[in-house]
């Protein structure tokens, strides 16, 4: 009984209560987001069938990044975030920059998700004020995160299940429509809708390149599965399985869904302003398509916000753990239920500013810009994480019997080049140019500040005890 207690409790008081099914569904939920349900229409209209190639390429690179993160977390599953490895292998000052940048990104994107959730709820209840919906939703999700990590896992399990059912329902519906040459108001369903008159750059190479960052950010959040490692019952068994199966999820749920959408609905006729799922189900004769997909997108956004809050709490806890200042260590505490409660509450309090910011006249565009700029910072943090992995492989910490990423000497440089190319591609997308510049300004300004920062602790590089 005593041994079981050791397995379920970490040295810092956090509990290992996430089971295999929780982590598998969190991994799946992190892979599938509103980028697919709402944003896929815009990507398809930009590039046509070539979007399949873009999803495949970016999916493969995300998978390789997850393998790099997974190798480090397998070595030390006690870490709450992959940012800790940036501090360990690239130095505390770079870790300070990455930690705060990534945490702020989570907060601002959480604000954006909370704002979106109120819009989805008002689809059915237009007379309720948005701020009331936002406060109610955030209080509920904060409570889910504060009560116990197992409750968070259960919530994410069912959120992800709804998304999976919606995608599988569309894929099955699409296969039936294609195999029966189902007649729709705009033609017949069939693979010829994809390949007839195929051109690799139907709207020009600029639109093709501009679709890369859109698809990239649709995959963002996949790394959240790694953040669950410190609170997973059997990380050495669960983590490799969850990460290795990522590639199959990409093939089925992203590429499979995109192929079905274009087979049913000729891509030239798709509207970029409406969910492609709504358009497909409407063609299939589902009159309540808009309402059904709105419910799915609502649960998807709620799932994202739940995960962002979970991740933000753990990242702020990590920042507090690495800080030598006077204020931050006060957030380095764990509640009786085994969660970093103060860090979660503080992160939730900042996300709660979303309704306040949204209500200020003339501030909405600035808010959108900040969300976009901080989202772009994920590219920088991913890049630093891969560099940290390269350093890990050359350090005495490397475990040749662990969850080894073979060929790291060419994979890591390829990943670094990929992230640089994606950042440059932002300048080919009219909406991405200003946020990309804002992100660069942040990197230079906050980077210089971080270089002078003296409150971050040096992280030891000695071996950590395996769980």
């Amino acid at each position: 009984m005593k041994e079981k207690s050791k397995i379920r409790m970490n040295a810092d008081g956090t509990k290992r209560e996430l089971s295999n099914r929780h982590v598998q569904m969190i991994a799946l939920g992190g892979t599938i987001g509103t980028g697919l349900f709402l944003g896929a229409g815009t990507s398809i209209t930009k590039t046509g069938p070539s979007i399949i190639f873009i999803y495949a390429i970016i999916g493969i690179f995300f998978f390789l990044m997850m393998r790099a993160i997974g190798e480090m977390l397998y070595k030390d599953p006690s870490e709450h975030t992959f940012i800790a490895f940036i501090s360990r292998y690239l130095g505390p000052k770079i870790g300070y920059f990455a930690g705060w940048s990534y945490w702020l990104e989570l907060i601002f994107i959480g604000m954006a998700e909370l704002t979106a959730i109120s819009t989805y709820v008002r689809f059915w209840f237009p007379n309720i004020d948005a701020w009331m919906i936002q406060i109610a939703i955030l209080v509920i999700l904060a409570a889910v995160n504060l009560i116990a990590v197992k409750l968070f896992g259960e919530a994410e399990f069912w959120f992800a299940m709804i998304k999976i059912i919606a995608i599988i329902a569309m894929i099955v519906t699409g296969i039936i429509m294609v195999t029966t040459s189902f007649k729709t108001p705009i033609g017949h369903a069939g693979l010829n809708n994809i390949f007839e008159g195929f051109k690799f750059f139907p709207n020009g190479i600029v639109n093709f390149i501009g679709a890369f960052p859109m698809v990239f950010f649709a995959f963002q959040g996949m790394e959240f599965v790694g953040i669950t490692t410190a609170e997973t019952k059997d990380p050495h068994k669960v983590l490799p399985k969850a990460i290795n199966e990522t590639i199959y999820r990409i093939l089925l749920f992203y590429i499979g869904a995109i192929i079905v959408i274009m087979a049913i609905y000729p891509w030239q006729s798709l509207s970029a302003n409406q969910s492609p799922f709504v358009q497909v189900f409407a063609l299939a004769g589902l009159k309540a398509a808009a309402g059904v997909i709105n419910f799915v997108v609502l649960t998807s956004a709620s799932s994202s916000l739940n995960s962002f809050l979970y991740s933000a709490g753990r990242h702020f806890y990590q920042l507090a753990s690495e800080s030598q200042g006077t204020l931050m260590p006060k957030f380095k505490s764990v509640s009786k239920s085994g969660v970093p409660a103060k860090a979660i509450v503080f992160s939730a309090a900042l996300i709660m500013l979303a309704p306040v910011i949204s209500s200020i006249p003339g501030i909405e565009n600035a808010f959108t810009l900040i969300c976009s700029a901080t989202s772009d910072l994920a590219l920088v943090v991913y890049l630093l994480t891969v560099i940290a992995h390269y350093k890990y492989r050359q350090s005495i910490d490397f475990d040749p019997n662990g969850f080894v990423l073979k060929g790291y000497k060419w994979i890591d440089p390829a990943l670094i080049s990929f992230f640089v190319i994606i950042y440059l591609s932002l300048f080919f997308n009219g909406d991405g140019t200003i946020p990309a510049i804002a992100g660069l300004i942040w990197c230079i300004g906050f980077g210089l500040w971080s270089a002078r920062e003296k409150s971050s602790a040096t992280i030891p590089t000695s071996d950590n005890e395996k769980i």
Side-chain angles (χ1 to χ4, degrees):
M1 197 71 182
K2 201 172 183 179
E3 184 66 20
K4 186 178 179 183
S5 176
K6 283 185 180 178
I7 295 173
R8 293 176 62 86
M9 182 78 76
N10 290 318
D12 60 4
T14 53
K15 296 180 180 179
R16 294 184 171 273
E17 293 190 322
L18 292 176
S19 66
N20 178 56
R21 72 181 180 90
H22 290 143
V23 175
Q24 291 292 333
M25 294 303 267
I26 289 169
L28 197 51
T31 310
I32 306 165
T34 51
L36 175 61
F37 289 110
L38 290 179
T42 303
S43 302
I44 293 172
T45 56
K46 275 181 172 288
T47 67
S50 299
I51 196 67
I52 297 170
F53 170 79
I54 296 175
Y55 269 96
I57 291 295
I58 293 180
I60 289 169
F61 275 105
F62 254 96
F63 170 70
L64 292 174
M65 181 188 73
M66 287 305 303
R67 284 290 280 106
I69 291 174
E71 182 177 5
M72 293 186 290
L73 285 168
Y74 188 93
K75 166 62 181 175
D76 187 2
S78 64
E79 292 292 1
H80 287 276
T81 79
F82 58 89
I83 301 293
F85 299 107
I86 297 177
S87 297
R88 183 178 299 176
Y89 298 111
L90 302 185
K93 295 183 186 299
I94 296 178
Y96 181 89
F97 167 82
W100 280 102
S101 296
Y102 193 74
W103 178 73
L104 286 171
E105 175 212 338
L106 295 174
I107 294 299
F108 280 111
I109 298 179
M111 288 181 176
E113 291 287 359
L114 185 60
T115 304
I117 287 171
S118 64
T119 303
Y120 304 142
V121 172
R122 294 188 74 193
F123 176 85
W124 294 294
F125 306 102
N127 296 323
I128 300 179
D129 291 335
W131 66 268
M132 293 178 65
I133 297 169
Q134 291 168 353
I135 291 174
I137 293 292
L138 189 58
V139 167
I140 292 170
L141 294 182
V144 165
N145 274 270
L146 287 170
I147 292 172
V149 70
K150 187 175 182 179
L151 183 58
F152 162 80
E154 283 295 325
E156 280 303 290
F157 178 88
W158 292 107
F159 279 143
M161 185 66 75
I162 291 170
K163 292 189 279 190
I164 291 167
I165 291 172
I167 295 174
I168 291 177
M170 194 205 70
I171 291 175
V172 171
T173 300
I175 291 173
I176 293 172
M177 291 174 72
V178 168
T179 54
T180 59
S181 294
F182 187 87
K183 190 177 187 326
T184 71
I186 59 173
H188 287 85
L191 294 177
N192 59 302
N193 288 328
I194 301 176
F195 299 108
E196 191 173 331
F198 175 81
K199 291 181 181 179
F200 210 80
F201 307 120
N203 292 317
I205 193 168
V206 171
N207 274 308
F208 178 80
I209 296 173
F212 270 83
M214 297 169 66
V215 175
F216 181 90
F217 291 118
F219 280 102
Q220 194 177 338
M222 191 184 293
E223 70 275 11
F224 284 175
V225 63
I227 299 168
T228 66
T229 306
E231 292 164 279
T232 303
K233 290 179 182 177
D234 190 356
H236 286 151
K237 179 181 178 181
V238 173
L239 184 67
K241 186 177 180 181
I243 291 177
N244 282 335
E245 290 181 358
T246 301
I247 193 69
Y248 304 115
R249 298 186 193 106
I250 291 168
L251 289 172
L252 175 62
F253 293 107
Y254 269 101
I255 298 177
I258 293 296
I259 290 173
V260 166
I261 288 169
M262 290 190 293
I264 297 172
Y265 212 118
W267 69 269
Q268 300 93 333
S269 304
L270 271 174
S271 170
N273 300 318
Q274 189 181 26
S275 167
F277 280 69
V278 171
Q279 296 174 70
V280 166
F281 280 126
L283 278 184
L286 180 62
K287 294 181 180 179
V292 170
I293 297 304
N294 189 74
F295 172 72
V296 173
V297 174
L298 172 60
T299 57
S300 181
S302 299
S303 169
S304 296
L305 179 57
N306 197 32
S307 293
F308 279 124
L309 188 56
Y310 173 91
S311 183
R314 271 63 184 179
H315 275 89
F316 198 73
Y317 174 79
Q318 186 74 37
L319 288 170
S321 300
E322 296 179 6
S323 176
Q324 292 179 332
T326 55
L327 179 62
M328 286 295 290
K330 294 180 180 179
F331 292 95
K332 187 187 173 183
S333 63
V334 176
S335 67
K336 292 181 180 179
S337 58
V339 298
K342 289 182 179 179
I344 293 172
V345 170
F346 183 73
S347 298
L350 289 184
I351 293 175
M352 188 73 83
L353 292 174
V356 178
I357 295 173
S358 300
S359 64
I360 299 174
I363 204 75
E364 187 175 349
N365 290 337
F367 178 54
T368 303
L369 172 63
I370 293 171
C371 289
S372 300
T374 51
S375 182
D376 294 346
L377 287 176
L379 280 162
V380 179
V381 175
Y382 292 160
L383 186 148
L384 292 174
T385 303
V386 174
I387 296 174
H389 174 259
Y390 194 86
K391 291 287 188 180
Y392 159 75
R393 288 298 298 264
Q394 297 176 326
S395 73
I396 60 172
D397 290 346
F398 171 58
D399 180 7
N401 298 315
F403 185 37
V404 177
L405 173 62
K406 296 179 180 179
Y408 85 97
K409 287 187 177 180
W410 64 267
I411 289 176
D412 284 350
L415 279 168
I416 292 167
S417 301
F418 170 71
F419 293 136
V420 171
I421 290 169
I422 291 294
Y423 204 99
L424 292 175
S425 71
L426 292 169
F427 295 94
F428 286 82
N429 188 333
D431 295 333
T433 303
I434 295 177
I437 293 172
L440 287 175
I441 292 172
W442 169 267
C443 287
I444 294 170
F446 190 62
L448 291 173
W449 171 274
S450 300
R452 299 178 181 180
E453 177 57 38
K454 298 179 180 178
S455 66
S456 52
T458 300
I459 308 300
T461 56
S462 58
D463 284 346
N464 289 282
E465 182 181 344
K466 282 189 175 182
I467 305 293

